[in-house]
Structures are given as structure tokens and as C-alpha cells.
Amino acid sequence: MWRWLLAYQHKLKLALIGQSIFGQEVYNKLRKEGHKVVGVFTVPDKNGQADPLALAAEKDGTPVFKFPKWRAKGKPIQEVVAAYKSVGAELNVLPFCTQFIPMDVIDCPKHGSIIYHPSILPRHRGASAINWTLIQGDKKAGFTIFWADDGLDTGPILLQRECDVGQNDTVDDLYNRFLFPEGVKAMVEAVHLIADGKAPRIPQPKEGATYEGIQKKENAEISWDQPAAALHNWIRGHDKVPGAWTTINGQVVTFYGSSLLDASVPAGQELTIKGASRPGLVTKNGLVIFGNDGKMVLVRNLQFEDGKMIPASKYFSTDETTALELTEEEKMIAEDIRAIWKGILSNVAVIEDSTDFFKSGASSMHVVRMLEEIKQKHSGLQLQNEDVYMATKFADFIQMAVRKLRGEDKEEELVIDYVSKNMNNMTVNMPYQCFINGKFIDADDGKTYDTINPADGSVIASVSSASLADVDKAVAAAKEAFENGEWRRMNARERGRLMYRLADLMEEHQEELATIESIDSGAVYTLALKTHIGMSVQTFRYFAGWCDKIQGATIPINQARPNHNLTFTKKEPIGVCAIIIPWNYPLMMLAWKSAACLAAGNTLVLKPAQVTPLTSLKFAELSAKAGFPKGVINILPGSGGLVGQHLSEHPDVRKVGFTGSTPTGKQIMKSAAANLKKVSLELGGKSPLIIFSDCELDRAVKMGMGAVYFNKGENCIAAGRLFVEESIHDEFVRKVVEEIKKMKIGDPLDRSTDHGPQNHKAHLEKLLQYCETGVKEGATLVYGGRQVCRPGFFMEPTVFTDVEDHMYIAQEESFGPVMVISKFKNGDIDGVLQRANATEYGLASGVFTKDINKALYISEKLEAGTVFINTYNKTDVAAPFGGFKLSGFGKDLGKLSPSLISCLRVLINEKSNAWVQCI
């Protein structure tokens, strides 16, 4: 501990030279760490407005100098240098500086000068370093803090940090996610290192050094004879300044918001672009342009020469919106906004209807300030940054704001693109896009993937594959809905009414949902109808009834007399919950986790399994039709490694609920630990089923087969290992094989089918390998173990006997139709218990015996979350469900899960510890 304290004993007298919010943050952090800023040297006020660094310093009483320049005709201005030397700085810190500083000043302090540069030097020296990082398609971005010398960004390196560059990252993305926050921390760390005499001076290597000049508008024209990736890099590298441009219909048009589009060519109206060998396409999502490799880029926004910006999808729109007649209340709001504009644009004498926000001197930081001030005065008016760029003149801005306030910007009805198929004596309509903030939309980067019918290997639909940007949008929508939306203000009983309505709609569409579940997951239709869909409906109805029954408590305390004090708890929702569900029961797992989440008042972002997304997306449609406010429910199909991982580590997600494999569950816990979010996990299982000789044998055979083969064995609580008492072992195996031979394997939509296909091809291959391993280790393959000779991913129900405890199939879960049978000696109760518990899992278990004392003894000793006695696979919405050990923790179903609500002690001044005095 003393070494850590010593590291912060040395403080320096600093001169900060530069400007911007970045400079302001560095200034504030350095002061907070105890360093003394003896002078701030920044730029003169612009349009009557001081730079943020100057504002912060002036507020603290720090001396502020605003020199328009430091040199004249290449020589230092002596009066300026003298003013600088008067503050007596020991170190110059240049967080962001656009002025040329003389070497007399750079070398003056005892420790010299350090500069922040937004690239990994020696690459991208020069003032447009971030832009060139993207323009040249670098896979890594970062920043350098270096010792200033008389070269251009050539001084020795003090420290560097780097980050990955995403495929669709913009300058703003890199700056906001990494370069700004980590840069501020690094500047402070660099000063500490210098203060402690530990700062290195590493010469910059000559190899790999590059210098690029400042990008200006005239140099930013798009050259069309390039691959799509190069076009995309050029556009995003110039977004927002100076803007990549081209000529369309004789007018200069600037492109903003590009992303690579990896999909089939969408429908749209052709647009001729000067220099492009192929016309662009104006589509519902934006302007699609083509590289010389035939690949596509999607452009979101276009800006014209007069400064007007429009969504690219509206290029051909000729509708002229009639100006609104404002009510008296709306006129008052308009005047409030006029006053806010006047406060920001202090250089403008009068805010007129024609006043342009940006042409009057405002910048991007003023956009944030303006919107926050509007929100503070009128909380019902929710505006986004993009709204300002789309309506830069005051009159246009007011019209836009009033339309939003009236709700006229909302779509009248939910727009859904379906994949429709005629099957199972009905037309099945399946949404296939991401569902974010109440709308079905394509993935941000346009990527899709095919979801496959396991019954025949055919493609059902091409489904949107959510990107990191989509995760951020969905979480932001869920957070906004939770903090500021209608959902937050809705009373609990109304919340329950919506959930009952959703359950009714699910029941109305149960045949369609069961058909989708069957073709997407391989579930037998009759089982899908009864269990997959039926229990989902029950779950929503059960938790709908809990909405208005979540109660706190009054707690007796010692201080109740004589001061008449009272303390009580209040249960509140957590916030945004991420739900990641498996592929074996797609809709039922959605219901188990999301119904309790919604009943408690949370919002959610749900990622269905990549191979079974379709019932989740149909559920999203029904939730919108039930009237759930936008942003409350968001569904993101796509990769678990991408979407699931980002949800697990996202700072705005407060809880992660996951059902799936144990290794993935461990990774989620690691990711969630970074910001200490709550986690509940339902993971792998190897559930033991013990069958004693005193059981009702025919019932044990029937139930034992159900324990293994229910839902094709793709069942988290499936009996992974059967222990059969020696005296009935052979008869039990014989009866099982007889019953297997009666099972009909085939089309899951056929009502007479008993056993459908495995969920997907990779899983079938894994099961076949599992059986091969069992045979190699010496277990006896009594029946099955092979793929059924027909189209699709069908596997024979399989039986292994003579399975010894050390074997792979005795220890690891198959998650398929594989019965693993081991004998145990007659009467050896404690011995079989020891073998049954010798697993790292503890999800479920079972026992068959007519002896109630034996059954209760066994149930007490088995280490599992559920113990079935003379039955199996029985679950109910009112009974909690979950496991022990590596099968996870936390419960689904039953009395509303406490992990979905926060229990707060209500205090007078702060929520964590308040007391209320009785009067």
C-alpha cells in the first residue's frame, strides 16, 4: 500500500496548452489528482463563446491566456512567451492543440512538453490522423503520448494504447468509445509517470512512418473505380468533417453514415452518380452504391450544397410537408426553445425563423447541450442528435419538434416483411429482420444468414444477422424505454393487462407458432403445440398475475421509540435485461425468462439461438400488436459469439439470463464481472435416474424413455444416465428396445410422428461422434447409434449398456436421443447415490421405487435442483426451476425471481439508507 501512496505524492505545476472538451476533461482530472495547473493557454473566443477548456479554468480561477497566435513571421512573439514564462510551469501538457507553439515554450519547463496524438505513431503523423486510420482501412487504431520536439509528431514515445477498428466504425465511434475516454486517462497517467521520474523516452522507429496532410473538402471527392471496402473507408473516414462527396444531377452531394452491405441486391430506384460505372439504388434503408468488385455499400444520409441533410431513402420523395399551425402551448414551447438557441448562439442578436444553428457558429458539442436543455424543460419531447442535423434552421426545427411532440412522426402501423409459406394446412407468416425499438429492420451492416429446416435441410428464410451496432441500438432503446418511456410510467396492473393480452394473442396464433417451431427446431408438431407453445402461454398468464403483487416490507427497528422512526423496503425493477436462449425450446425458453422480466417492470434485449430465431421474431410481432411500448422488447438474431458476448459485457445491461452450455456460461460470468451485472445461468446437465427393482416396471420403462427421448433428447433435464438395479436390468433393457421399435421417426408435422429430426446438422454429427466414442471405450451399443437414411438430420433412438463410471458417455451430456445405462448392485442404495452424485452437474434427477421412505431418502441425498419421484419431465409455471454446481444458479418460474428486482431501503436523502419518521 505504501508504494501506491508514494506514487501519488509527487505533484507538478502544469501549463495546459490547447482547447476542446478533451482538453477540459484532462484539465479537470489532473486537478482532481492534486496537480496544480498554473496556467491555461487556449484560443480566443469564437463568435462570443469561450472554449470549454477556458470555461472550466475561468470557473476555477486558474489564469487563462487566449493568444490568437504564438509566432509572427516564423518567430516567437516575445510578449506571448514572456506571459507564458510568468506562470512558472514545470511541464507543458498539450491534450489537443491546433496552434504552432515555439520551441522556446516547448523546451522551457523543467520536464519539457508532452502531446496527445490520435494514432499509433509513427503511423499517421499529421492533423487528420483518425481520418486516415479509417481511410486506409487500418485494423487497429489508438493514440500516442509523446515528448514534443522540433519535428512534426516525431518526438520520443512516452506511452501508447491501441484498440480494434470495427468494420463500420466511424471517426465518432473510435473517438467516443476509445480515443477520448482512454486518452484522458492516459494523459493523467503520463503526468504521474513524469512526476515520479518513471516516464520512458522511446525513439520513434523510422520503419512504418507515414505523414498525411489535413483533409479538406476539395480533396474529399469520391473516386469510384475502387472496391466497395475502399469506398466505405473513404466515406467513413471523412464523416462528419469534411465529408466525402460526389456529383448527382449537377449538384455536390455529401455522403454520411456508410456501412458495408453483405446481402443480395435490394429493391430500389436507380440513381445516376457522376463517375460511377453503375447507378446507385435508393432503397427503403438508404442509398446503395457499388464498388468495382460488385460489392455494396449502404449510405444512410445525404447533404446538399445548401446544408440541408435528408435520409438517403427519401432522395426521390417529393412530398412537401404543410407547415403546422401551433397551439398556444406549442407556441410557448417554441419560445422556450428559441431562448435555448439564444443562450447557445450568444453572438446572434435575434433568433429568427431563418437562423441556421450551425452556420451561426454551433458545433456538435452544442447539439448535445441544446437537446439536454430541451429535455430538462420539456421531458415529453425526446429528440436525437440526428434530428438537429436534419432540421438546422429554427423554423424547421420547431416544426420537427412539434410533430414529434404530437406523435405525428410515428408510424401508424407496424411494417413487417414476411417470409410466407403454405404448410400444415395454413399460411405461415414469418418475420425475418431484427426487432429494435418497435420496428423490424435489417441488420445495420445488412448481413443475413440462412435458417434451415432440419426435416429436409432446406432453407426456410434468410434472417438478419445482428451486428455490434444493432446491439448498441437495442440496448439504448431498452434503456430509454426503461428510464423515460411509457413503460416506466405505466402502473403495474396495466403492465399485467398487456401481458394477458400478449398471452391471448399467442394462444390465438398457437397453430402458426407451433408450425414455425416445428420447421425451425425439428420439434414434433403435437409436442410443440402442447409444450413449446402451450407452456409459453401459461407462463405469460402466470407472471401477468404477479405484476401488481410485488411488495416490499415494513421492518421493526430498535429506534422505533421514542423517535417514532420507521424503515421499509421497496422492490424496484433492475433495468435492461439481456436474455440469451437456446435452440431446444425456442419459444418456451423465451417465455420462461422474459415473462418474469417484464412482470417486474424491466425491459429486455433477447438473443435467440442462431439456428432457431423464427418463433422469437414472431413473438416480437405479437408483442407489438399487444401494445407493448417501443423499446421494451428487442429481438436480435445472430451470432452468440458476437451478439451474446457484447450483451454480456455491455455497461447498460443490468442483468444477463442465459440458458446454454457450461463453457459459454463461464464466459458470460467473466464478461459480466467487468461491470458487476447480475447473472442467472441454466447450464449443462447429466441428470441421473435411479430405477430400483421394487418399482412399477412398465411405468419406469415408459417414463425412463420419456426422460431420455422427449423432444429428441434435446432437453436440458434429460436423464443423461440411468442406473438400473441389477435384478431388473436385463428386462428393463429388453422392454426399452421393444418400445423403441414401435416409435415412428419422420416428418415432425405428421401428427403420428413420435421422433423428429435433431435440431441442426452440426449437432447430429456431434451425436454420432458421441456414440462412436462410447463404442470405442467398451460400452455395448444395444440399439441405434446411426443416422436415419432419409433427408434431414434424423438419428435413431440409441441405447448403451455396460457403461462404466470412467467412460466419456458416463460423464458428458449427449443432449440427444442416447440412453446410457449402468447397473448397480441389488440393495446398494448408498453406492448408487455416490455414483449418481459423482458429476460436476446438478440440474435434475429422478428415482423410481414403491418405497416412499427410500424415495425420500434418495431425494434428500441427490445433488440436483429438481428430483422427480416415479415420474419425469414434469414442470409447472408455479414451481421454480434451476440447478446446482456447474448446472448454474438462479431460478426460472415460480414466485417472481428476486434477481429481477432491486430491494431498496428507502431513505430520506438517498435511496440506500433512509428513515421515515412517523407523525
Side-chain angles (χ1 to χ4, degrees):
M1 174 65 81
W2 70 270
R3 291 182 64 187
W4 180 84
L5 291 171
L6 183 63
Y8 288 90
Q9 283 181 354
H10 303 102
K11 308 300 178 185
L12 295 176
K13 292 191 290 183
L14 308 174
L16 256 72
I17 305 175
Q19 66 259 25
S20 78
I21 294 177
F22 182 76
Q24 180 190 60
E25 281 297 300
V26 172
Y27 166 84
N28 288 332
K29 289 289 193 299
L30 287 170
R31 278 175 49 86
K32 188 176 180 180
E33 292 293 333
H35 297 285
K36 182 175 179 58
V37 180
V38 293
V40 165
F41 299 84
T42 187
V43 294
D45 296 353
K46 184 178 180 182
N47 296 323
Q49 296 182 21
D51 182 81
L53 175 56
L55 287 173
E58 287 167 348
K59 182 180 178 181
D60 295 332
T62 301
V64 176
F65 303 84
K66 301 177 182 180
F67 300 132
K69 55 185 178 179
W70 292 70
R71 303 187 305 178
K73 297 181 180 180
K75 294 183 178 181
I77 301 172
Q78 292 306 314
E79 295 84 353
V80 172
V81 174
Y84 160 77
K85 290 182 176 179
S86 69
V87 302
E90 297 172 315
L91 174 69
N92 291 332
V93 178
L94 285 72
F96 175 74
C97 182
T98 58
Q99 296 177 310
F100 287 100
I101 310 300
M103 290 306 297
D104 304 50
V105 172
I106 293 294
D107 293 335
C108 180
K110 171 184 175 183
H111 297 290
S113 302
I114 58 170
I115 301 177
Y116 171 91
H117 184 78
S119 80
I120 307 169
L121 291 175
R123 188 162 173 78
H124 302 311
R125 293 169 176 162
S128 296
I130 315 178
N131 305 74
W132 284 102
T133 297
L134 294 177
I135 291 169
Q136 297 193 357
D138 293 1
K139 300 301 182 186
K140 295 284 185 182
F143 59 81
T144 305
I145 297 173
F146 67 95
W147 299 93
D149 65 2
D150 58 359
L152 185 61
D153 304 331
T154 56
I157 294 168
L158 195 160
L159 62 79
Q160 289 182 320
R161 300 284 185 270
E162 66 176 39
C163 67
D164 293 330
V165 178
Q167 178 177 273
N168 293 315
D169 276 345
T170 64
V171 170
D172 283 351
D173 292 334
L174 291 176
Y175 187 69
N176 294 329
R177 185 178 74 235
F178 185 80
L179 299 176
F180 184 106
E182 296 304 317
V184 171
K185 293 177 190 175
M187 287 298 285
V188 175
E189 181 185 347
V191 173
H192 284 322
L193 290 171
I194 294 168
D196 293 341
K198 299 176 181 177
R201 291 176 179 262
I202 304 168
Q204 289 192 34
K206 294 181 180 179
E207 185 178 351
T210 64
Y211 171 80
E212 296 91 9
I214 296 174
Q215 277 302 91
K216 297 181 179 179
K217 191 72 175 182
E218 57 266 28
N219 301 327
E221 183 177 5
I222 299 169
S223 173
W224 288 101
D225 190 19
Q226 300 183 81
L231 293 176
H232 167 55
N233 289 336
W234 184 261
I235 295 168
R236 66 174 176 154
H238 291 85
D239 189 337
K240 298 271 195 283
V241 177
W245 60 273
T246 190
T247 303
I248 301 175
N249 293 329
Q251 184 177 184
V252 170
V253 179
T254 305
F255 289 5
Y256 294 110
S258 73
S259 58
L260 288 171
L261 185 59
D262 184 11
S264 56
V265 178
Q269 187 172 349
E270 288 191 351
L271 177 64
T272 301
I273 302 172
K274 183 181 178 181
S277 60
R278 182 173 175 179
L281 288 175
V282 176
T283 73
K284 64 179 182 179
N285 292 318
L287 172 63
V288 174
I289 56 177
F290 298 86
N292 61 11
D293 54 359
K295 295 182 178 179
M296 296 176 287
V297 176
L298 180 67
V299 178
R300 293 278 195 273
N301 299 312
L302 305 175
Q303 188 174 43
F304 299 101
E305 292 179 50
D306 61 0
K308 182 181 180 182
M309 185 181 286
I310 64 166
S313 59
K314 303 293 185 185
Y315 183 85
F316 288 114
S317 176
T318 56
D319 295 338
E320 289 295 330
T321 306
T322 304
L324 298 174
E325 189 72 33
L326 272 55
T327 65
E328 290 302 315
E329 183 180 357
E330 288 165 350
K331 288 177 182 177
M332 291 174 63
I333 293 172
E335 289 309 309
D336 287 342
I337 295 175
R338 192 187 301 273
I340 291 169
W341 276 46
K342 183 68 179 77
I344 295 171
L345 306 175
S346 55
N347 56 303
V348 178
V350 178
I351 303 297
E352 298 176 341
D353 286 354
S354 60
T355 300
D356 187 288
F357 192 67
F358 296 107
K359 290 181 179 178
S360 299
S363 64
S364 57
M365 76 172 183
H366 296 116
V367 171
V368 177
R369 174 184 162 185
M370 188 242 288
L371 296 185
E372 288 301 314
E373 288 191 35
I374 291 174
K375 185 190 295 184
Q376 199 170 34
K377 261 189 171 300
H378 302 284
S379 58
L381 183 53
Q382 300 294 321
L383 301 174
Q384 307 298 322
N385 289 9
E386 198 168 77
D387 294 328
V388 185
Y389 292 104
M390 295 293 185
T392 60
K393 292 181 180 178
F394 182 76
D396 295 338
F397 186 84
I398 293 299
Q399 290 283 311
M400 175 274 300
V402 171
R403 289 184 194 282
K404 282 190 172 287
L405 197 60
R406 293 181 183 181
E408 293 181 11
D409 63 315
K410 296 179 182 176
E411 295 182 18
E412 290 299 316
E413 59 181 86
L414 184 66
V415 177
I416 310 174
D417 284 344
Y418 290 118
V419 169
S420 298
K421 292 187 180 294
N422 293 315
M423 56 176 56
N424 205 21
N425 300 316
M426 69 182 78
T427 299
V428 178
N429 295 316
M430 295 170 283
Y432 59 87
Q433 297 166 293
C434 302
F435 185 71
I436 300 174
N437 205 25
K439 295 180 181 179
F440 283 102
I441 59 173
D442 291 336
D444 185 75
D445 56 10
K447 285 189 176 180
T448 62
Y449 68 94
D450 291 339
T451 186
I452 305 298
N453 184 342
D456 58 13
S458 64
V459 175
I460 305 170
S462 288
V463 179
S464 293
S465 184
S467 66
L468 295 181
D470 295 310
V471 176
D472 291 338
K473 289 177 190 175
V475 172
K479 183 181 180 185
E480 178 66 20
F482 179 77
E483 294 180 350
N484 301 308
E486 179 187 354
W487 185 250
R488 181 70 168 183
R489 299 187 294 272
M490 188 180 294
N491 67 59
R493 201 158 293 169
E494 176 67 12
R495 200 160 64 232
R497 188 193 67 78
L498 283 180
M499 292 184 66
Y500 278 122
R501 172 63 180 147
L502 177 54
D504 290 345
L505 283 171
M506 291 167 69
E507 190 169 56
E508 288 175 25
H509 290 262
Q510 61 181 336
E511 289 86 3
E512 185 180 20
L513 285 166
T515 302
I516 297 171
E517 192 96 334
S518 185
I519 64 171
D520 204 24
S521 75
V524 171
Y525 176 77
T526 50
L527 176 65
L529 191 62
K530 177 182 180 295
T531 302
H532 290 228
I533 312 306
M535 194 172 185
S536 300
V537 173
Q538 292 175 28
T539 303
F540 269 92
R541 285 191 174 137
Y542 174 80
F543 282 108
W546 268 109
C547 288
D548 60 355
K549 299 172 185 68
I550 303 169
Q551 300 173 352
T554 303
I555 304 172
I557 53 173
N558 288 339
Q559 294 89 345
R561 300 287 179 179
N563 297 322
H564 306 287
N565 289 324
L566 168 72
T567 187
F568 62 90
T569 61
K570 180 184 177 185
K571 293 182 178 179
E572 295 189 346
I574 289 172
V576 179
C577 297
I579 295 173
I580 305 170
I581 58 173
W583 43 258
N584 56 331
Y585 296 103
L587 189 64
M588 193 172 80
M589 291 296 99
L590 176 153
W592 281 25
K593 294 193 179 296
S594 64
C597 171
L598 294 168
N602 300 289
T603 58
L604 63 90
V605 180
L606 182 138
K607 195 206 85 64
Q610 186 168 4
V611 291
T612 54
L614 295 178
T615 42
S616 295
L617 294 171
K618 189 68 180 180
F619 168 83
E621 175 193 343
L622 298 179
S623 73
K625 290 180 176 178
F628 276 78
K630 66 179 185 178
V632 174
I633 295 170
N634 304 272
I635 310 289
L636 298 177
S639 162
L642 184 75
V643 177
Q645 176 67 24
H646 196 37
L647 283 171
S648 301
E649 60 195 14
H650 201 292
D652 290 331
V653 170
R654 297 289 175 247
K655 164 78 188 284
V656 177
F658 171 75
T659 296
S661 72
T662 297
T664 303
K666 290 179 178 180
Q667 180 58 44
I668 285 173
M669 280 199 71
K670 289 180 182 178
S671 301
N675 43 38
L676 297 179
K677 58 171 58 72
K678 290 175 177 284
V679 177
S680 62
L681 304 171
E682 195 249 283
L683 306 176
K686 187 68 175 173
S687 301
L689 175 57
I690 304 173
I691 300 175
F692 287 97
S693 59
D694 63 352
C695 71
E696 187 180 325
L697 186 58
D698 287 343
R699 179 178 177 82
V701 169
K702 179 182 177 182
M703 290 288 181
M705 290 181 66
V708 176
Y709 302 128
F710 187 81
N711 201 46
K712 311 131 9 182
E714 295 167 353
N715 186 19
C716 50
I717 57 172
R721 191 175 182 194
L722 276 65
F723 295 93
V724 182
E725 199 161 8
E726 193 170 27
S727 61
I728 62 167
H729 174 274
D730 293 348
E731 185 179 3
F732 179 87
V733 172
R734 178 180 60 78
K735 284 179 175 285
V736 165
V737 173
E738 286 177 0
E739 292 300 316
I740 288 175
K741 291 177 179 178
K742 299 175 186 177
M743 292 171 66
K744 179 179 178 180
I745 301 173
D747 181 1
L749 293 177
D750 185 337
R751 287 6 179 219
S752 64
T753 295
D754 298 303
H755 189 79
Q758 303 310 133
N759 186 276
H760 52 281
K761 184 178 181 181
H763 183 54
L764 172 63
E765 292 170 348
K766 182 180 176 183
L767 288 171
L768 296 173
Q769 181 63 47
Y770 184 90
C771 292
E772 287 180 20
T773 301
V775 172
K776 287 177 182 177
E777 289 190 332
T780 301
L781 179 62
V782 176
Y783 192 90
R786 299 184 300 269
Q787 182 175 357
V788 178
C789 187
R790 59 171 291 158
F793 312 137
F794 293 86
M795 181 177 178
E796 295 176 335
T798 299
V799 179
F800 276 102
T801 60
D802 302 319
V803 179
E804 298 179 15
D805 295 352
H806 69 275
M807 292 180 178
Y808 177 83
I809 64 172
Q811 298 174 0
E812 295 300 326
E813 180 181 30
S814 71
F815 212 66
V818 182
M819 184 177 284
V820 176
I821 303 175
S822 299
K823 290 180 188 176
F824 69 93
K825 292 180 180 179
N826 294 330
D828 188 10
I829 296 175
D830 289 325
V832 74
L833 270 172
Q834 185 176 358
R835 294 172 71 191
N837 286 330
T839 172
E840 58 188 0
Y841 301 108
L843 188 57
S845 60
V847 56
F848 279 82
T849 176
K850 292 179 182 176
D851 186 338
I852 187 63
N853 292 320
K854 186 192 297 182
L856 292 175
Y857 177 78
I858 293 285
S859 67
E860 183 179 323
K861 297 294 184 181
L862 283 170
E863 298 170 356
T866 299
V867 180
F868 297 105
I869 299 176
N870 293 328
T871 188
Y872 210 88
N873 280 330
K874 301 294 184 184
T875 54
D876 188 90
V877 294
F881 178 92
F884 300 155
K885 300 190 283 188
L886 289 189
S887 289
F889 50 82
K891 301 294 180 185
D892 291 325
L893 306 180
K895 186 176 180 179
L896 195 61
S897 171
S899 63
L900 293 175
I901 48 182
S902 298
C903 191
L904 306 177
R905 295 188 68 188
V906 179
L907 306 157
I908 289 176
N909 293 318
E910 51 180 328
K911 280 193 171 182
S912 59
N913 199 17
W915 298 86
V916 180
Q917 185 170 357
C918 299
I919 299 175

